[in-house]
Structure formats: structure tokens, C-alpha cells
Amino acid sequence: MPKTKKLNKIHFGIEITKPFSKEMYAHNDKIAKILKENILNAWVNMYTTFDKQADWSSTVPKGSNFESLQKNVCYSGYGGGYTIQDVNEEFKSELENMPNWQIHEVYAYCCFESLVPRTKQGMVGFDWEKMNYWTDAINDVILGIAGDNLRGGPGVENLYIKVYSQSEGDEIVSKLAKLNIEAYVDCYEADDGDEYPGGPPIIINFYSVKIKKS
């Protein structure tokens, strides 16, 4: 019996592949702009309350949100001799040039520390983050139930779950219903091309659970 190729997972309606697909890169580039904008807004809101020429180490309170945000982005503190304006320029340069994998991790830490807001969606394809910093969780909920049997996309309404029987489909529909996700079992028949000698072709039923369109 030939081996079945393991199917890729779906996240935010995007198929996750290694190496990354063009769709994944495009999605992550879009999210990166949002993450950087949110971090920069949080930074500017605090930066404008300080004297720009004041010494960083003696002016910014230890453990403050301002210092925490700076360390999350720059990874190290600043001693005497650096003005708040100096740190601001380095902070913005570091943030602007930060690659996607890094801003993904940094934003998760900042969100965990309540320094920035959650976003609707996050990046895809990375193996780790401090926390799920996104709010659009329906894809994650469906993925948790479907596992490797999730198909379709990119939109939620185009997702479906491969199942092998009506009863298995009914069970998944019930699980989704408890999470306020409406779904139904779909079945279609197909001829597998084989025939018994002198007999009709063999008909196979293919089952899936589909998400109802809103």
C-alpha cells in the first residue's frame, strides 16, 4: 500500500509549507507592518513625555514600561552618556530593520507584558512565540479539532475537514457546534475506476465536514 503524503496545516486560511510559500511571505510582511506600527506608537506615546536631551540611565525609571519596551526591541540597556534622544534613534532603527521572525517573537513578549495590544491575526510558519498575540482564533479552534485533516482556505468559509464516515463527521459537527461554529457533513460519490468482471464500477463515498457560510 503506497504511503499517503502528510498534508500541511492551515493557519489563518493559509497553507503552512516549508520552505515558506509566496502567500506566507506576503501575509507575514503585511502583519510585520502592523506589529512595528503598534510598537512604534506605544514607544512614541511614552517618548514624548520625556526631555529628549536628558540622560537615559538617570531619567527613565528602572522597570518602567518605557525601559521594558526598549529592552524588548534592543535587547540591552543603556548606561550613562546616552540621551533619551540617542536611545530613541537606535530604537527606531532597530525596529525598522527587524526581520519578520524576530518581530514575531518580540511582539509576543511585548504583548505578554501588556506593552502593546493584540492584533487580529499573527504571523504564520514560525515554531514558537511567547503567547498567541492575535484575537482571530477561529482558525486555531478548527485546526485543534481537525488536525492534519484540515483542508481548503484561504477564508474560513472555504475550510473543510476530511472524515471517513458519516458518524465521524457528525461527531466533529457536534464539537464545532459547542464552540458556536456551524458546520455540516457533506458526501459525494465517485467511481474508483475498478470493476468486477461483468459488474458495475465500484462507487466510493467521500465525506467531509464543511463550515457554513455566514
PDB file of all heavy atoms in Angstrom, residues 163-185:
ATOM      1  N   VAL A 163     -13.102  13.558   6.645  1.00  0.00           N
ATOM      2  CA  VAL A 163     -13.506  12.485   7.558  1.00  0.00           C
ATOM      3  C   VAL A 163     -13.748  11.231   6.736  1.00  0.00           C
ATOM      4  O   VAL A 163     -13.790  11.272   5.504  1.00  0.00           O
ATOM      5  CB  VAL A 163     -14.772  12.858   8.366  1.00  0.00           C
ATOM      6  CG1 VAL A 163     -14.483  14.006   9.319  1.00  0.00           C
ATOM      7  CG2 VAL A 163     -15.927  13.227   7.438  1.00  0.00           C
ATOM      8  N   TYR A 164     -13.938  10.112   7.426  1.00  0.00           N
ATOM      9  CA  TYR A 164     -14.023   8.837   6.722  1.00  0.00           C
ATOM     10  C   TYR A 164     -15.378   8.158   6.852  1.00  0.00           C
ATOM     11  O   TYR A 164     -15.576   7.066   6.331  1.00  0.00           O
ATOM     12  CB  TYR A 164     -12.912   7.916   7.218  1.00  0.00           C
ATOM     13  CG  TYR A 164     -11.541   8.467   6.919  1.00  0.00           C
ATOM     14  CD1 TYR A 164     -10.876   9.273   7.839  1.00  0.00           C
ATOM     15  CD2 TYR A 164     -10.930   8.232   5.688  1.00  0.00           C
ATOM     16  CE1 TYR A 164      -9.628   9.813   7.551  1.00  0.00           C
ATOM     17  CE2 TYR A 164      -9.687   8.764   5.392  1.00  0.00           C
ATOM     18  CZ  TYR A 164      -9.043   9.559   6.323  1.00  0.00           C
ATOM     19  OH  TYR A 164      -7.811  10.096   6.031  1.00  0.00           O
ATOM     20  N   SER A 165     -16.321   8.812   7.536  1.00  0.00           N
ATOM     21  CA  SER A 165     -17.665   8.242   7.677  1.00  0.00           C
ATOM     22  C   SER A 165     -18.640   9.328   8.103  1.00  0.00           C
ATOM     23  O   SER A 165     -18.231  10.395   8.593  1.00  0.00           O
ATOM     24  CB  SER A 165     -17.675   7.111   8.703  1.00  0.00           C
ATOM     25  OG  SER A 165     -17.418   7.615  10.002  1.00  0.00           O
ATOM     26  N   GLN A 166     -19.920   9.054   7.934  1.00  0.00           N
ATOM     27  CA  GLN A 166     -20.953   9.989   8.369  1.00  0.00           C
ATOM     28  C   GLN A 166     -20.902  10.191   9.877  1.00  0.00           C
ATOM     29  O   GLN A 166     -21.023  11.312  10.374  1.00  0.00           O
ATOM     30  CB  GLN A 166     -22.336   9.446   7.964  1.00  0.00           C
ATOM     31  CG  GLN A 166     -23.510  10.304   8.400  1.00  0.00           C
ATOM     32  CD  GLN A 166     -23.656  11.569   7.596  1.00  0.00           C
ATOM     33  OE1 GLN A 166     -23.498  11.554   6.378  1.00  0.00           O
ATOM     34  NE2 GLN A 166     -23.958  12.683   8.261  1.00  0.00           N
ATOM     35  N   SER A 167     -20.694   9.090  10.606  1.00  0.00           N
ATOM     36  CA  SER A 167     -20.689   9.185  12.065  1.00  0.00           C
ATOM     37  C   SER A 167     -19.512  10.018  12.576  1.00  0.00           C
ATOM     38  O   SER A 167     -19.648  10.807  13.516  1.00  0.00           O
ATOM     39  CB  SER A 167     -20.649   7.790  12.692  1.00  0.00           C
ATOM     40  OG  SER A 167     -19.489   7.086  12.286  1.00  0.00           O
ATOM     41  N   GLU A 168     -18.347   9.858  11.935  1.00  0.00           N
ATOM     42  CA  GLU A 168     -17.186  10.662  12.328  1.00  0.00           C
ATOM     43  C   GLU A 168     -17.452  12.138  12.039  1.00  0.00           C
ATOM     44  O   GLU A 168     -17.117  13.023  12.830  1.00  0.00           O
ATOM     45  CB  GLU A 168     -15.937  10.209  11.577  1.00  0.00           C
ATOM     46  CG  GLU A 168     -14.674  10.952  11.989  1.00  0.00           C
ATOM     47  CD  GLU A 168     -13.470  10.598  11.151  1.00  0.00           C
ATOM     48  OE1 GLU A 168     -13.584   9.750  10.242  1.00  0.00           O
ATOM     49  OE2 GLU A 168     -12.392  11.181  11.399  1.00  0.00           O
ATOM     50  N   GLY A 169     -18.107  12.402  10.912  1.00  0.00           N
ATOM     51  CA  GLY A 169     -18.449  13.768  10.569  1.00  0.00           C
ATOM     52  C   GLY A 169     -19.433  14.378  11.551  1.00  0.00           C
ATOM     53  O   GLY A 169     -19.292  15.524  11.962  1.00  0.00           O
ATOM     54  N   ASP A 170     -20.442  13.595  11.931  1.00  0.00           N
ATOM     55  CA  ASP A 170     -21.440  14.080  12.898  1.00  0.00           C
ATOM     56  C   ASP A 170     -20.788  14.439  14.233  1.00  0.00           C
ATOM     57  O   ASP A 170     -21.162  15.415  14.881  1.00  0.00           O
ATOM     58  CB  ASP A 170     -22.509  13.012  13.124  1.00  0.00           C
ATOM     59  CG  ASP A 170     -23.417  12.826  11.911  1.00  0.00           C
ATOM     60  OD1 ASP A 170     -23.488  13.744  11.081  1.00  0.00           O
ATOM     61  OD2 ASP A 170     -24.043  11.745  11.804  1.00  0.00           O
ATOM     62  N   GLU A 171     -19.798  13.648  14.618  1.00  0.00           N
ATOM     63  CA  GLU A 171     -19.106  13.897  15.883  1.00  0.00           C
ATOM     64  C   GLU A 171     -18.351  15.225  15.837  1.00  0.00           C
ATOM     65  O   GLU A 171     -18.371  16.005  16.800  1.00  0.00           O
ATOM     66  CB  GLU A 171     -18.137  12.752  16.172  1.00  0.00           C
ATOM     67  CG  GLU A 171     -17.427  12.865  17.509  1.00  0.00           C
ATOM     68  CD  GLU A 171     -16.507  11.694  17.783  1.00  0.00           C
ATOM     69  OE1 GLU A 171     -16.592  10.680  17.060  1.00  0.00           O
ATOM     70  OE2 GLU A 171     -15.688  11.797  18.718  1.00  0.00           O
ATOM     71  N   ILE A 172     -17.706  15.513  14.707  1.00  0.00           N
ATOM     72  CA  ILE A 172     -16.962  16.765  14.568  1.00  0.00           C
ATOM     73  C   ILE A 172     -17.919  17.948  14.485  1.00  0.00           C
ATOM     74  O   ILE A 172     -17.670  19.008  15.073  1.00  0.00           O
ATOM     75  CB  ILE A 172     -16.045  16.705  13.334  1.00  0.00           C
ATOM     76  CG1 ILE A 172     -14.881  15.741  13.608  1.00  0.00           C
ATOM     77  CG2 ILE A 172     -15.509  18.095  12.984  1.00  0.00           C
ATOM     78  CD1 ILE A 172     -13.915  15.574  12.470  1.00  0.00           C
ATOM     79  N   VAL A 173     -19.029  17.779  13.778  1.00  0.00           N
ATOM     80  CA  VAL A 173     -20.038  18.848  13.714  1.00  0.00           C
ATOM     81  C   VAL A 173     -20.528  19.198  15.116  1.00  0.00           C
ATOM     82  O   VAL A 173     -20.717  20.374  15.463  1.00  0.00           O
ATOM     83  CB  VAL A 173     -21.221  18.427  12.818  1.00  0.00           C
ATOM     84  CG1 VAL A 173     -22.390  19.395  12.987  1.00  0.00           C
ATOM     85  CG2 VAL A 173     -20.792  18.375  11.363  1.00  0.00           C
ATOM     86  N   SER A 174     -20.717  18.186  15.945  1.00  0.00           N
ATOM     87  CA  SER A 174     -21.165  18.398  17.321  1.00  0.00           C
ATOM     88  C   SER A 174     -20.118  19.177  18.126  1.00  0.00           C
ATOM     89  O   SER A 174     -20.455  20.088  18.890  1.00  0.00           O
ATOM     90  CB  SER A 174     -21.456  17.054  17.990  1.00  0.00           C
ATOM     91  OG  SER A 174     -21.847  17.234  19.329  1.00  0.00           O
ATOM     92  N   LYS A 175     -18.850  18.833  17.953  1.00  0.00           N
ATOM     93  CA  LYS A 175     -17.777  19.532  18.663  1.00  0.00           C
ATOM     94  C   LYS A 175     -17.713  20.997  18.241  1.00  0.00           C
ATOM     95  O   LYS A 175     -17.547  21.893  19.071  1.00  0.00           O
ATOM     96  CB  LYS A 175     -16.430  18.851  18.389  1.00  0.00           C
ATOM     97  CG  LYS A 175     -16.260  17.499  19.049  1.00  0.00           C
ATOM     98  CD  LYS A 175     -14.886  16.918  18.716  1.00  0.00           C
ATOM     99  CE  LYS A 175     -14.683  15.558  19.375  1.00  0.00           C
ATOM    100  NZ  LYS A 175     -13.353  14.985  19.027  1.00  0.00           N
ATOM    101  N   LEU A 176     -17.848  21.252  16.948  1.00  0.00           N
ATOM    102  CA  LEU A 176     -17.803  22.615  16.445  1.00  0.00           C
ATOM    103  C   LEU A 176     -19.002  23.420  16.933  1.00  0.00           C
ATOM    104  O   LEU A 176     -18.883  24.605  17.266  1.00  0.00           O
ATOM    105  CB  LEU A 176     -17.752  22.615  14.914  1.00  0.00           C
ATOM    106  CG  LEU A 176     -16.460  22.093  14.278  1.00  0.00           C
ATOM    107  CD1 LEU A 176     -16.634  21.927  12.769  1.00  0.00           C
ATOM    108  CD2 LEU A 176     -15.292  23.035  14.565  1.00  0.00           C
ATOM    109  N   ALA A 177     -20.167  22.767  17.001  1.00  0.00           N
ATOM    110  CA  ALA A 177     -21.385  23.450  17.455  1.00  0.00           C
ATOM    111  C   ALA A 177     -21.241  23.946  18.890  1.00  0.00           C
ATOM    112  O   ALA A 177     -21.740  25.014  19.249  1.00  0.00           O
ATOM    113  CB  ALA A 177     -22.582  22.515  17.329  1.00  0.00           C
ATOM    114  N   LYS A 178     -20.550  23.176  19.722  1.00  0.00           N
ATOM    115  CA  LYS A 178     -20.344  23.572  21.116  1.00  0.00           C
ATOM    116  C   LYS A 178     -19.471  24.820  21.211  1.00  0.00           C
ATOM    117  O   LYS A 178     -19.464  25.497  22.241  1.00  0.00           O
ATOM    118  CB  LYS A 178     -19.702  22.423  21.896  1.00  0.00           C
ATOM    119  CG  LYS A 178     -20.631  21.226  22.091  1.00  0.00           C
ATOM    120  CD  LYS A 178     -19.933  20.088  22.819  1.00  0.00           C
ATOM    121  CE  LYS A 178     -20.870  18.895  22.986  1.00  0.00           C
ATOM    122  NZ  LYS A 178     -20.193  17.750  23.648  1.00  0.00           N
ATOM    123  N   LEU A 179     -18.742  25.112  20.134  1.00  0.00           N
ATOM    124  CA  LEU A 179     -17.883  26.297  20.083  1.00  0.00           C
ATOM    125  C   LEU A 179     -18.506  27.390  19.216  1.00  0.00           C
ATOM    126  O   LEU A 179     -17.830  28.318  18.792  1.00  0.00           O
ATOM    127  CB  LEU A 179     -16.503  25.921  19.536  1.00  0.00           C
ATOM    128  CG  LEU A 179     -15.729  24.905  20.393  1.00  0.00           C
ATOM    129  CD1 LEU A 179     -14.526  24.382  19.625  1.00  0.00           C
ATOM    130  CD2 LEU A 179     -15.289  25.531  21.704  1.00  0.00           C
ATOM    131  N   ASN A 180     -19.828  27.236  18.943  1.00  0.00           N
ATOM    132  CA  ASN A 180     -20.588  28.208  18.148  1.00  0.00           C
ATOM    133  C   ASN A 180     -20.085  28.338  16.716  1.00  0.00           C
ATOM    134  O   ASN A 180     -20.139  29.415  16.119  1.00  0.00           O
ATOM    135  CB  ASN A 180     -20.582  29.585  18.835  1.00  0.00           C
ATOM    136  CG  ASN A 180     -21.269  29.565  20.184  1.00  0.00           C
ATOM    137  OD1 ASN A 180     -22.335  28.966  20.332  1.00  0.00           O
ATOM    138  ND2 ASN A 180     -20.660  30.217  21.164  1.00  0.00           N
ATOM    139  N   ILE A 181     -19.584  27.236  16.166  1.00  0.00           N
ATOM    140  CA  ILE A 181     -19.160  27.195  14.766  1.00  0.00           C
ATOM    141  C   ILE A 181     -20.103  26.250  14.032  1.00  0.00           C
ATOM    142  O   ILE A 181     -20.157  25.052  14.330  1.00  0.00           O
ATOM    143  CB  ILE A 181     -17.705  26.707  14.621  1.00  0.00           C
ATOM    144  CG1 ILE A 181     -16.765  27.663  15.366  1.00  0.00           C
ATOM    145  CG2 ILE A 181     -17.311  26.610  13.147  1.00  0.00           C
ATOM    146  CD1 ILE A 181     -15.323  27.175  15.423  1.00  0.00           C
ATOM    147  N   GLU A 182     -20.880  26.783  13.094  1.00  0.00           N
ATOM    148  CA  GLU A 182     -21.854  25.975  12.367  1.00  0.00           C
ATOM    149  C   GLU A 182     -21.175  25.218  11.229  1.00  0.00           C
ATOM    150  O   GLU A 182     -20.430  25.799  10.440  1.00  0.00           O
ATOM    151  CB  GLU A 182     -22.961  26.854  11.814  1.00  0.00           C
ATOM    152  CG  GLU A 182     -23.866  27.470  12.878  1.00  0.00           C
ATOM    153  CD  GLU A 182     -25.038  28.193  12.257  1.00  0.00           C
ATOM    154  OE1 GLU A 182     -24.855  29.359  11.873  1.00  0.00           O
ATOM    155  OE2 GLU A 182     -26.112  27.585  12.147  1.00  0.00           O
ATOM    156  N   ALA A 183     -21.468  23.921  11.157  1.00  0.00           N
ATOM    157  CA  ALA A 183     -20.874  23.080  10.122  1.00  0.00           C
ATOM    158  C   ALA A 183     -21.852  21.972   9.750  1.00  0.00           C
ATOM    159  O   ALA A 183     -22.868  21.766  10.421  1.00  0.00           O
ATOM    160  CB  ALA A 183     -19.550  22.495  10.608  1.00  0.00           C
ATOM    161  N   TYR A 184     -21.536  21.254   8.681  1.00  0.00           N
ATOM    162  CA  TYR A 184     -22.397  20.148   8.243  1.00  0.00           C
ATOM    163  C   TYR A 184     -21.537  19.096   7.546  1.00  0.00           C
ATOM    164  O   TYR A 184     -20.411  19.381   7.112  1.00  0.00           O
ATOM    165  CB  TYR A 184     -23.488  20.649   7.297  1.00  0.00           C
ATOM    166  CG  TYR A 184     -22.962  21.248   6.009  1.00  0.00           C
ATOM    167  CD1 TYR A 184     -22.852  20.475   4.847  1.00  0.00           C
ATOM    168  CD2 TYR A 184     -22.560  22.577   5.954  1.00  0.00           C
ATOM    169  CE1 TYR A 184     -22.369  21.022   3.669  1.00  0.00           C
ATOM    170  CE2 TYR A 184     -22.062  23.130   4.788  1.00  0.00           C
ATOM    171  CZ  TYR A 184     -21.980  22.350   3.642  1.00  0.00           C
ATOM    172  OH  TYR A 184     -21.479  22.886   2.489  1.00  0.00           O
ATOM    173  N   VAL A 185     -22.078  17.873   7.463  1.00  0.00           N
ATOM    174  CA  VAL A 185     -21.367  16.779   6.801  1.00  0.00           C
ATOM    175  C   VAL A 185     -21.772  16.747   5.334  1.00  0.00           C
ATOM    176  O   VAL A 185     -22.959  16.748   4.998  1.00  0.00           O
ATOM    177  CB  VAL A 185     -21.685  15.425   7.458  1.00  0.00           C
ATOM    178  CG1 VAL A 185     -20.929  14.296   6.735  1.00  0.00           C
ATOM    179  CG2 VAL A 185     -21.311  15.444   8.938  1.00  0.00           C
TER     180      VAL A 185
END
